[in-house]
Amino acid sequence: MIKIEHLVKNYGATCAVDDISFEIAQGEIVGLLGPNGAGKSTTMNILTGYLSSTSGRVSVDGINVLDDPLEVKRRIGYLPEQPPLYLDMTVEEYLIFVYNLKGCTLNRSKHLEEIADVVKLTDVYHRLIRNLSKGYRQRVGIAGALIGNPPVIIFDEPTVGLDPKQIIEIRNLIRTLGKDHTVILSTHILQEVQAVCDRIIIINKGRVVADELTENINRVASGNNRYHIKICGPQREVLSLLKNRSDVAYVEALSARDGDAYVYRVESARGLDIRKSLFFALAERGYAMIGLEALGLSLEDIFITVVDKTDGTPEKKQEKGNRKGRSSSVEKDLAQSILDATAEKQENIAPYVEED
């Protein structure tokens, strides 16, 4: 459905997009991530026909954006971070305005009523937009993007400023839209991507540095090699015991306390299950393990590590229990595997030759 081949965009001497290539299939929900200034917005603006590229090719449904931008725009529904709403219009008036602006040929009343039902605007259909909550205004913006049934929907920060209930409702709506549309979701809320998207693309410094299925990341990230362990006994002695174990990669005493028990954050060496041996080692010293919670990695951990690696941030040698916000071994390993797999994909993309 969407194909981006060796896309480059220069602003004078500054390269905002540096040889980006990826494809998005019909029906995929893809999260487009990256730090500020990474090139996400420039890529989306080129995709929607708002900007032209310096070189490369962008096509939607087989149509080159530069060759026929209007036809591409008919296939895209776009919701910017700030929906362009006219507050003095009712919801119905605004949707009719967008319908006419897009030159839509579908039965107007039926089409708009169907969209209002999908995005749950029926109850406020005749109310002024200025009197609606931010959550309902977002829904109006989404409804505008859906007019004409475009096969591609692009959302830029769709849940910023919404309350938790509204966020859940918008996420559910995006999942529903993904059944019939190709969806690109650009956001800084990483839990949102993990909850909604089928695939994650991370852009940094104008290049695709990670491209992986969300289920693959979740499967590896949920592995049980991190724990919160509650142990009864003198904190200094327990901490010393944990640090001196060869199968423990990282340990930290947390501030939480329960009577004579302290909570420790423990990370095992890669591929090792330390729970049974640690239980017996603690029992032998008379320290009771009264709680154990397995922890997984968050997408935030992985994202930060991938960005750090591609920024060239130097890694500092650390002792066990001296993390200071740096990435752990499992995060580094997972991030590196994603980077390696993405680099291999990028290398296998055929060069794009400009047509005469």
Side-chain angles (χ1 to χ4, degrees):
M1 177 55 70
I2 297 173
K3 189 172 185 179
I4 294 179
E5 302 172 84
H6 299 283
L7 182 66
V8 175
K9 178 61 179 179
N10 296 322
Y11 294 101
T14 302
C15 183
V17 177
D18 184 10
D19 196 22
I20 281 179
S21 298
F22 60 84
E23 295 185 35
I24 300 176
Q26 184 174 356
E28 268 195 304
I29 304 178
V30 174
L32 192 62
L33 307 179
N36 290 331
K40 304 187 305 299
S41 295
T42 300
T43 301
M44 288 192 295
N45 285 333
I46 294 172
L47 176 61
T48 59
Y50 181 72
L51 288 176
S52 61
S53 60
T54 301
S55 63
R57 174 188 171 96
V58 177
S59 59
V60 177
D61 202 15
I63 303 170
N64 191 322
V65 173
L66 291 179
D67 291 343
D68 198 345
L70 287 179
E71 197 58 40
V72 168
K73 289 175 183 179
R74 290 190 181 97
R75 286 164 165 76
I76 294 176
Y78 180 49
L79 176 69
E81 185 175 347
Q82 297 295 331
L85 306 177
Y86 293 95
L87 303 184
D88 291 329
M89 290 183 177
T90 65
V91 174
E92 180 183 24
E93 289 169 343
Y94 175 76
L95 296 183
I96 290 174
F97 168 75
V98 175
Y99 174 96
N100 293 332
L101 194 65
K102 288 187 173 184
C104 187
T105 57
L106 299 171
N107 183 285
R108 191 180 74 182
S109 297
K110 182 180 179 182
H111 182 49
L112 297 186
E113 286 172 6
E114 287 175 349
I115 290 175
D117 182 57
V118 168
V119 300
K120 294 182 170 53
L121 285 173
T122 305
D123 292 341
V124 298
Y125 199 57
H126 300 292
R127 289 180 57 183
L128 286 174
I129 294 174
R130 72 166 56 255
N131 296 330
L132 300 180
S133 67
K134 183 171 177 60
Y136 271 113
R137 291 185 188 186
Q138 287 291 88
R139 290 179 180 277
V140 175
I142 293 172
L146 293 178
I147 289 176
N149 283 335
V152 177
I153 308 291
I154 300 175
F155 294 120
D156 191 359
E157 302 287 353
T159 61
V160 169
L162 303 186
D163 64 42
K165 183 175 182 295
Q166 293 169 336
I167 289 174
I168 291 171
E169 290 173 348
I170 296 297
R171 287 180 184 174
N172 290 336
L173 175 57
I174 293 172
R175 287 194 200 96
T176 300
L177 294 175
K179 296 176 182 178
D180 301 309
H181 303 267
T182 298
V183 179
I184 298 177
L185 173 64
S186 177
T187 179
H188 287 95
I189 305 174
L190 302 184
Q191 297 92 334
E192 192 160 86
V193 173
Q194 208 159 7
V196 173
C197 296
D198 304 316
R199 182 170 148 219
I200 296 167
I201 296 175
I202 300 178
I203 297 176
N204 191 32
K205 292 186 174 180
R207 299 184 67 88
V208 173
V209 296
D211 183 351
E212 189 56 84
L213 295 177
T214 312
E215 64 180 40
N216 292 345
I217 294 176
N218 288 341
R219 184 173 60 253
V220 178
S222 61
N224 291 338
N225 78 309
R226 278 179 168 185
Y227 308 93
H228 279 169
I229 305 176
K230 188 181 293 186
I231 304 170
C232 296
Q235 187 183 72
R236 182 177 297 178
E237 284 79 355
V238 172
L239 198 57
S240 176
L241 183 152
L242 294 173
K243 283 185 177 181
N244 289 324
R245 289 179 61 90
S246 61
D247 55 0
V248 171
Y250 168 78
V251 61
E252 173 188 7
L254 305 181
S255 58
R257 183 176 179 180
D258 182 3
D260 65 339
Y262 295 87
V263 178
Y264 304 85
R265 182 187 177 101
V266 178
E267 179 183 313
S268 70
R270 185 77 171 181
L272 296 180
D273 187 344
I274 65 171
R275 290 173 294 178
K276 187 182 293 185
S277 62
L278 183 58
F279 173 85
F280 287 117
L282 291 168
E284 186 178 336
R285 297 282 295 272
Y287 304 145
M289 182 194 294
I290 62 173
L292 186 146
E293 177 189 2
L295 307 173
L297 288 177
S298 68
L299 182 57
E300 184 179 55
D301 296 326
I302 299 165
F303 173 81
I304 291 171
T305 307
V306 166
V307 170
D308 278 353
K309 279 180 171 288
T310 53
D311 275 342
T313 303
E315 298 291 349
K316 297 179 181 179
K317 190 174 181 180
Q318 304 156 346
E319 297 178 0
K320 294 178 186 178
N322 186 25
R323 189 185 194 83
K324 294 186 178 179
R326 304 297 298 160
S327 300
S328 71
S329 59
V330 66
E331 289 161 0
K332 294 173 190 173
D333 290 346
L334 179 54
Q336 191 60 54
S337 67
I338 293 171
L339 291 170
D340 291 344
T342 302
E344 185 177 348
K345 290 178 186 176
Q346 295 291 303
E347 288 174 2
N348 291 333
I349 296 173
Y352 171 66
V353 180
E354 297 283 355
E355 298 175 357
D356 294 333

